[in-house]
Amino acid sequence: MKASMKDFRKAITERILVLDGAMGTLLQERGLAPGGCPEEMNLSAPEVVESIHRDYALAGADILVANSFGGSRSKLAHYGLEGRVFEINMKAVEIARAAAGADCFVAGSIGPTGRFAMPVGDADFDELVDIFGEQVRAFAEAGADLLSLETFLDIRELKAAVVASRQFSDLPVMAMMTFDDGGRSVLGTPPEAAAVTLDGIGVDVIGSNCGLGVDGIFEVLQKMRSVTSLPLICQANAGLPVLVDGETVFPGTPEEMTAYHERLCDLGVRVIGGCCGTTPSHISAIAKALGSFPGTWSAPPRKGWLSSRSAVVALGGGAPCAIIGERINPTGKKGYSEELRQGKTRYIRAEAMEQIQAGASLLDVNCGAPGVDEPVALESAVYAVSGVASAPLVLDSSDPVALERGLKAADGKVLINSVSGEPKSLEMVLPLAKKYGAAIIGLALDGTGIPETAEGRLAVARSIVDAALSIGIAREDILIDCLTLTVSAEQERAMETLRALRQVKAELGVGTVLGVSNISFGLPQRPVLSSTFFAMALEAGLDAAIINPKDERMMDAFRSAMVLLNKDVRAENYIAHYADFSAVESSRPVKVPESAAIRDRLAAAIIEGDKDGIVSMVDQASAEGLTPMQVSNEGLLPGLEEIGRRFGANQIFLPQVMLSAETMHAAFARLKESFGDDMGPSLGKILMATVEGDIHDIGKNIVCTLLENHGFEVIDLGKNVPAARIVAAAREHRVDAVGLSALMTTTLAQMSHAIEELKAAGVKVFTMVGGAVVTPEYAETIGADIYARDALEAVAKVKAILGVAKP
């Protein structure tokens, strides 16, 4: 019976729970003015909000989601309500509770702030935690049963919301991201990477909402299930929006919303509800359909994974050995140490790319050197590596302040290198790993040093594992380093290390890692000895190896061992590398040398996002006699065009595009500083605006940045812009094209209205539309000249329609 449900975490193991439907859709039907603040109705019209909750409860919902999605101070500030955060969110829960009675759970809803986390945006991680914390505290005090984090586009912003949820309450957390029909978020995060990150940070339920219909959400959840054992949530739209008689309509019927129920249940979906366009009728159909499905559920076995913003890597559990690239380490590297002291990241970015190309699956990042502000350096290094490489990170530091700074900067689930058996180390590192959802490397040593025997190292490893498990770190997120000692000094210790490795795996059930190359220190032809020991360790069950992946002898041993140990299925990776070695070699990216032509170096700098070096290259190009137009058209823009090609081929994603755009911006700023108005003609004037009633402008801002980088003059009117102002500005500035953005389904009609007003006023411009809820079909229906699904497509189509030739 519903009335017996007291514990949400227990309830989702006993039966599939029904979540309610769209709040915004019904608020608009019942009096919310276009562009009005939905959350303000908690204060001015609580009876309307309560009536919606009551209708969903009567339809069969087990969970009522409070009217607080935009209740953060960032969102409320658009309506002058930032000082009433606590009041509005408390009231949201109280209203939902009044409608729920004893039969339904009440969830506090938290949506995005409308900003991206640094370095993609301007939002500091701690600032985001503080913003979300205000809502969480209000929900906890008001007596919410759980938290629902919804419609997030940025995985780091969602991480901040989870950290706030855990820091300011002990409520269960459901966390959802929104994906496009290409299977990624706006910033390039696939469902697998989102799931690994959220699983690591300790949410209770993960899934997806908005953006897609039930068929698309099902595909997203299938991918999530491949990497997580957590319960899943499906909160689909009622189909994809269409325009009917000037109004946005979601065509999905209640019956269509239940078509995937059997497959969703088999997948381990434990909460099913509706997002945009769903009504009490949809929820009633869902509740009735679920009545015939079995209730109880047991989670599948958990596995070890690490993630970045855009990729996942399996760790242990029979997966191939993970190769941890060791080269981003200042030990013995004077040039890198000096860069760290100067706050530069060129070496870091170059080394990250080279190690990935050589076969590294994870990247160790170490910034500890004399005279270096390690917390600042590690944060900067994490941003730099994440901007050029998709590999998950290993944060290598003994400084807890630096570690926490790096953990906040990381997009995904990282591996901390390392913690020892010393109590101080355990007390310092383990809570950080737990708070930010990281895995750990445990060193089999304590205050007495490295035990001589395998049994001694096993005992230290056991103490680390027990301590980690006691604070909630999963066994699958623990790797033990049995420590590689040099055979030149202690020859008998090599086999003792391998014996310890086998014992740790057999008796503790955790993964293992070694810094393999230490074995050969002080001996000639080190790769010969190191690669042989590597092969022996792999046969003993090594799960991760810290090596130089650019050492071909080591990688030869690795690739061969993976075939022989049956971890390279059908020898596919081995064949791909060795079948036509000359072809492989010729296909690898070649680093542009310092002696290359300045045009090639400029293009490479844009591709690599070399903000540190681009200004000096622009100065060099000018000194060699290149005009501003030559610097731009023959050096910078070819690099940006290559970025566009890679983005279109899904080889890179939005963060890398933005890094290249920022590098381009730095180059143009330098050219303008040197040449002023002698920069050549603009390619055209583009007016950009987010339509009236919509306060989301992240996507529009990205389009503006890239248009400017390609040589267009951009007039940016901002967000929530009435059609009359768009028409007036288009006339005043005599623009060539008008770009309109909308993220909310409720504001799509304003996009159509703006285009109609432009035509009625006789303003002859090309019109371009885009945004998360906009489709090509909708663009055609409202008479837009261009539909762009992303910023780079927008630039390409504007160039084409204005007749701008490629450089």
Side-chain angles (χ1 to χ4, degrees):
M1 297 290 293
K2 288 183 182 179
S4 68
M5 295 190 306
K6 300 297 183 184
D7 185 331
F8 173 78
R9 294 185 177 101
K10 181 181 179 184
I12 57 175
T13 67
E14 297 174 340
R15 65 190 294 264
I16 300 170
L17 302 182
V18 179
L19 189 91
D20 62 14
M23 172 62 70
T25 300
L26 269 64
L27 283 175
Q28 283 198 316
E29 290 179 0
R30 302 184 189 187
L32 176 64
C37 176
E39 293 75 24
E40 191 276 336
M41 292 187 74
N42 295 334
L43 306 179
S44 63
E47 70 285 352
V48 174
V49 179
E50 184 176 342
S51 71
I52 294 171
H53 285 313
R54 200 171 300 281
D55 286 348
Y56 280 125
L58 291 173
D62 299 305
I63 305 170
L64 300 183
V65 181
N67 181 34
S68 56
F69 176 79
S72 68
R73 67 171 182 258
S74 292
K75 286 294 187 68
L76 293 177
H78 296 296
Y79 308 100
L81 297 170
E82 63 272 26
R84 305 182 73 179
V85 172
F86 209 78
E87 178 187 7
I88 286 172
N89 286 279
M90 284 272 291
K91 189 66 174 177
V93 172
E94 292 170 5
I95 294 170
R97 178 66 69 200
D103 288 341
C104 300
F105 292 111
V106 171
S109 172
I110 296 177
T113 60
R115 300 162 64 191
F116 283 136
M118 295 191 296
V120 177
D122 65 350
D124 177 76
F125 190 90
D126 287 336
E127 180 188 6
L128 291 172
V129 171
D130 184 61
I131 289 171
F132 293 127
E134 287 185 303
Q135 286 187 275
V136 173
R137 289 193 295 270
F139 297 146
E141 184 167 328
D145 298 303
L146 66 148
L147 303 175
S148 179
L149 315 182
E150 311 171 61
T151 325
F152 279 80
L153 307 175
D154 179 355
I155 188 62
R156 282 193 62 231
E157 185 185 22
L158 183 49
K159 278 181 65 176
V162 176
V163 168
S165 299
R166 293 296 185 222
Q167 184 172 331
F168 298 110
S169 82
D170 59 0
L171 296 173
V173 177
M174 302 191 301
M176 289 166 275
M177 287 197 74
T178 297
F179 302 91
D180 59 27
D181 55 8
R184 291 183 180 266
S185 73
V186 168
L187 291 185
T189 300
E192 297 92 332
V196 169
T197 303
L198 295 170
D199 188 317
I201 206 167
V203 303
D204 297 277
V205 181
I206 60 174
S208 181
N209 77 300
C210 204
L212 300 169
V214 66
D215 52 343
I217 297 282
F218 172 72
E219 292 179 5
V220 166
L221 297 182
Q222 276 186 310
K223 294 174 181 176
M224 287 186 164
R225 174 54 72 216
S226 69
V227 297
T228 183
S229 60
L230 287 177
L232 301 175
I233 176 172
C234 172
Q235 196 177 351
N237 289 342
L240 298 179
V242 296
L243 193 67
V244 178
D245 296 330
E247 293 189 6
T248 304
V249 175
F250 286 84
T253 66
E255 292 70 31
E256 289 170 344
M257 292 288 287
T258 68
Y260 279 74
H261 272 25
E262 184 171 355
R263 282 168 284 186
L264 290 170
C265 295
D266 290 343
L267 203 58
V269 175
R270 305 304 295 170
V271 182
I272 299 179
C275 203
C276 297
T278 55
T279 66
S281 296
H282 292 86
I283 300 309
S284 178
I286 290 172
K288 290 175 182 176
L290 287 175
S292 62
F293 289 96
T296 58
W297 174 75
S298 298
R302 192 176 189 276
K303 297 181 180 179
W305 295 88
L306 298 177
S307 63
S308 64
R309 182 183 289 274
S310 57
V312 298
V313 171
L315 203 59
C321 178
I323 300 299
I324 303 174
E326 66 182 4
R327 296 280 301 163
I328 305 177
N329 188 314
T331 303
K333 302 180 183 72
K334 292 182 179 180
Y336 175 34
S337 297
E338 184 56 32
E339 278 200 7
L340 288 173
R341 284 188 282 271
Q342 295 176 9
K344 296 182 177 179
T345 60
R346 176 179 289 188
Y347 172 87
I348 294 170
R349 288 182 284 102
E351 197 59 60
M353 289 188 289
E354 289 176 15
Q355 289 187 100
I356 293 299
Q357 291 159 10
S361 49
L362 306 172
L363 292 172
D364 187 90
V365 182
N366 186 312
C367 299
V372 173
D373 185 338
E374 190 177 355
V376 172
L378 188 58
E379 178 185 66
S380 179
V382 169
Y383 288 156
V385 173
S386 300
V388 298
S390 63
L393 302 182
V394 181
L395 300 187
D396 189 350
S397 175
S398 58
D399 180 346
V401 177
L403 266 181
E404 184 161 23
R405 194 86 167 256
L407 287 164
K408 291 174 183 177
D411 295 321
K413 178 183 175 184
V414 307
L415 179 60
I416 293 176
N417 184 13
S418 54
V419 61
S420 73
E422 294 185 76
K424 182 179 179 180
S425 178
L426 295 169
E427 292 167 6
M428 175 191 78
V429 176
L430 294 185
L432 290 176
K434 174 64 176 174
K435 180 177 181 178
Y436 296 102
I440 61 166
I441 292 176
L443 304 181
L445 61 84
D446 55 21
T448 64
I450 302 174
E452 293 187 3
T453 66
E455 288 74 16
R457 296 184 208 179
L458 175 65
V460 176
R462 190 185 305 278
S463 68
I464 295 171
V465 172
D466 288 346
L469 294 175
S470 71
I471 69 165
I473 296 174
R475 191 178 298 273
E476 296 80 16
D477 290 336
I478 304 170
L479 292 178
I480 294 297
D481 187 343
C482 294
L483 301 169
T484 306
L485 304 177
T486 59
V487 293
S488 59
E490 301 172 282
Q491 194 166 348
E492 71 283 358
R493 295 285 194 99
M495 296 309 296
E496 205 65 22
T497 293
L498 297 182
R499 199 162 70 84
L501 189 155
R502 289 188 173 95
Q503 289 185 13
V504 164
K505 289 185 69 67
E507 298 193 29
L508 301 182
V510 298
T512 54
V513 60
L514 288 174
V516 178
S517 302
N518 294 341
I519 197 75
S520 61
F521 184 79
L523 293 172
Q525 293 295 314
R526 291 186 62 188
V528 175
L529 192 62
S530 295
S531 61
T532 301
F533 179 70
F534 188 17
M536 295 169 70
L538 289 168
E539 190 281 328
L542 186 65
D543 295 297
I546 304 172
I547 67 169
N548 176 7
K550 294 189 285 187
D551 184 332
E552 270 301 322
R553 194 184 290 267
M554 294 290 281
M555 295 304 291
D556 288 343
F558 166 70
R559 297 186 188 100
S560 302
M562 290 301 96
V563 174
L564 298 173
L565 293 171
N566 196 30
K567 292 189 176 182
D568 180 1
V569 180
R570 295 180 295 276
E572 290 177 353
N573 294 328
Y574 183 91
I575 292 169
H577 186 80
Y578 296 110
D580 185 357
F581 195 78
S582 61
V584 173
E585 284 294 302
S586 64
S587 68
R588 288 179 177 169
V590 178
K591 185 177 181 181
V592 178
E594 291 293 325
S595 59
I598 189 60
R599 293 172 175 82
D600 295 334
R601 290 175 55 212
L602 286 166
I606 296 298
I607 294 168
E608 295 172 9
D610 184 7
K611 291 193 295 183
D612 295 336
I614 192 68
V615 171
S616 63
M617 291 184 205
V618 169
D619 289 344
Q620 182 182 338
S622 300
E624 291 183 11
L626 273 67
T627 66
M629 288 298 292
Q630 286 177 312
V631 172
S632 174
N633 292 347
E634 299 173 20
L636 302 174
L637 284 176
L640 205 56
E641 293 290 341
E642 173 62 13
I643 284 293
R645 184 196 67 76
R646 295 184 186 185
F647 181 80
N650 283 330
Q651 295 172 341
I652 62 171
F653 301 98
L654 191 56
Q656 291 97 320
V657 173
M658 292 305 295
L659 180 61
S660 292
E662 290 169 10
T663 305
M664 189 86 166
H665 182 77
F668 270 119
R670 183 59 172 170
L671 283 172
K672 289 179 181 178
E673 181 182 322
S674 299
F675 294 95
D677 295 332
D678 190 23
M679 288 286 296
S682 164
L683 299 183
K685 286 185 179 181
I686 315 296
L687 181 73
M688 296 292 298
T690 299
V691 297
E692 185 174 12
D694 203 319
I695 58 173
H696 302 86
D697 63 353
I698 291 175
K700 182 261 299 172
N701 292 344
I702 294 170
V703 175
C704 291
T705 298
L706 292 185
L707 284 170
E708 288 176 339
N709 284 340
H710 277 267
F712 292 96
E713 182 181 346
V714 176
I715 296 93
D716 182 4
L717 298 185
K719 55 200 172 190
N720 192 20
V721 184
R725 187 179 170 207
I726 293 171
V727 172
R731 277 178 167 162
E732 177 188 351
H733 296 283
R734 298 182 180 181
V735 299
D736 300 293
V738 172
L740 303 173
S741 174
L743 188 66
M744 301 165 61
T745 56
T746 54
T747 58
L748 278 174
Q750 292 299 321
M751 189 174 277
S752 174
H753 177 58
I755 291 176
E756 290 172 357
E757 290 295 300
L758 284 167
K759 291 178 179 178
V763 180
K764 295 181 179 180
V765 293
F766 295 109
T767 54
M768 174 175 67
V769 297
V773 296
V774 183
T775 64
E777 294 76 18
Y778 181 79
E780 183 177 357
T781 301
I782 64 176
D785 298 300
I786 299 173
Y787 162 76
R789 64 181 177 182
D790 55 56
L792 282 166
E793 184 174 288
V795 172
K797 287 188 174 180
V798 168
K799 280 187 170 185
I801 204 165
L802 295 183
V804 179
K806 287 187 177 182

